[in-house]
Amino acid sequence: MRVETSAPAVAGQGVVVVGAGSGIGEACALLLARRGASVVCVDRDAAAADRTASSAVAEGGRAWGWHADVTDAASVAEAFAAAEEHLRQVHAVVNCAGVTGPLGLRSHEVSLPDFDHVVAINLRGALVVTQCAVPYMLKHGYGRIAHVASIAGKEGNPGMVAYSSTKAAIIGMVKAQGKEYAEDGITINALAPAVIRTAFLDTQPEETLRYMTDKIPMRRMGSVLEAAQMLAWMVSPECSFTTGFTFDLSGGRATY
Ligand SMILES: NC(=O)c1ccc[n+]([C@@H]2O[C@H](COP(=O)([O-])OP(=O)(O)OC[C@H]3O[C@@H](n4cnc5c(N)ncnc54)[C@H](O)[C@@H]3O)[C@@H](O)[C@H]2O)c1
């Protein structure tokens, strides 16, 4: 048997990263560009999207910034039309747009407008991203989509009912979508990270951080690079026989 070994083949691929302005999305956009992908960096924060794209270009990569808000389907459709023009083919999409919503409230205390806001971004927004991406992929008979769920969607985080519900729904959404496009050359998967160290967490007290890592067998947070590396592989041609699945990234916390 001959087994080919090569670096994950994202070189030459056209990738749209939604939520590329900071955190995991920024790290993923930069990593993909470093590995030779052409990347359209989309975010509701236009300046942040441009900043990520400029950093990628400064490192010698090919990248463009684009403003879109996943709660506004027309703006996402425009982003994909622009992406197809820049990239010539949208091979892959990584969707990192997400918000936690209010923290520390029990369900009876949560305001419905706040709940709806989290649903509009985390869940409806993820559907909008899939809806806008798939027609371009069907045309070519090829595509990779990765959404970011969370350990909160598997286990439920108290005080985060909207976040936990939407992340559980993403896990269900990719199961359905994976089967819908399984014969079209398009895979749709999710990543479920436990806590990942982003700039936001640098501002939190040490006790809070310890509380977060206590349930993780590796006793540490994940890094944005670790998340980016898995996402980059999930949207590469190498990840070819898995769809509708939620990959774990939890330092051993979730073994299912
Ligand atoms: N950081 C963690 O510990 C962690 C753990 C599990 C899952 N996640 C998930 O990973 C994803 C990225 O998280 P992060 O920590 O990097 O967060 P982040 O806040 O650093 O990045 C999210 C990005 O999405 C953008 N965004 C938010 N709402 C948007 C909208 N309506 N339209 C377009 N862009 C929008 C933001 O401007 C921001 O640039 C989120 O879905 C989050 O729920 C994060």
Side-chain angles (χ1 to χ4, degrees), residues 83-140:
E84 167 126 308
E85 223 168 90
H86 286 304
L87 306 173
R88 298 234 283 274
Q89 181 176 346
V90 176
H91 295 92
V93 176
V94 178
N95 174 29
C96 297
V99 292
T100 51
L103 303 173
L105 298 177
R106 291 195 289 167
S107 290
H108 70 284
E109 299 162 324
V110 170
S111 90
L112 292 177
D114 282 347
F115 187 89
D116 289 345
H117 177 68
V118 177
V119 171
I121 296 174
N122 291 6
L123 178 57
R124 187 175 178 277
L127 175 65
V128 165
V129 169
T130 296
Q131 284 186 332
C132 291
V134 160
Y136 292 101
M137 296 175 168
L138 285 172
K139 244 180 14 187
H140 295 281

Side-chain angles (χ1 to χ4, degrees), residues 18 24 29 41 52 65 98 124 131 142 157 162 171 200 210-211 217:
V18 183
I24 295 170
C41 304
T52 302
R124 187 175 178 277
Q131 284 186 332
Y142 177 85
N157 282 3
I171 293 171
F200 165 73
R210 206 167 320 111
Y211 171 80

Side-chain angles (χ1 to χ4, degrees), residues 9-24:
V10 291
Q13 301 269 298
V15 188
V16 177
V17 179
V18 183
S22 72
I24 295 170

Side-chain angles (χ1 to χ4, degrees), residues 19 22-24 43-44 68-70 96 98 148-149 163 167 193-196 198:
S22 72
I24 295 170
D43 205 283
R44 72 172 170 189
D69 188 318
V70 296
C96 297
V148 183
Y163 186 76
K167 294 302 186 179
V195 65
I196 300 296
T198 56

Side-chain angles (χ1 to χ4, degrees), residues 154-240:
K154 286 187 173 182
E155 303 213 334
N157 282 3
M160 296 178 76
V161 70
Y163 186 76
S164 302
S165 308
T166 55
K167 294 302 186 179
I170 286 181
I171 293 171
M173 184 189 80
V174 300
K175 287 182 185 179
Q177 294 180 342
K179 292 186 181 87
E180 285 173 1
Y181 301 104
E183 291 179 277
D184 296 303
I186 301 170
T187 67
I188 306 185
N189 293 299
L191 181 69
V195 65
I196 300 296
R197 182 138 209 162
T198 56
F200 165 73
L201 289 173
D202 289 340
T203 64
Q204 299 299 304
E206 204 49 50
E207 315 85 85
T208 311
L209 302 184
R210 206 167 320 111
Y211 171 80
M212 290 175 169
T213 50
D214 261 0
K215 288 185 179 154
I216 297 176
M218 288 188 191
R219 298 273 176 207
R220 67 169 178 87
M221 294 179 204
S223 70
V224 289
L225 179 62
E226 286 171 317
Q229 284 169 332
M230 276 198 72
L231 288 163
W233 180 74
M234 286 163 62
V235 299
S236 77
E238 287 194 343
C239 184
S240 53

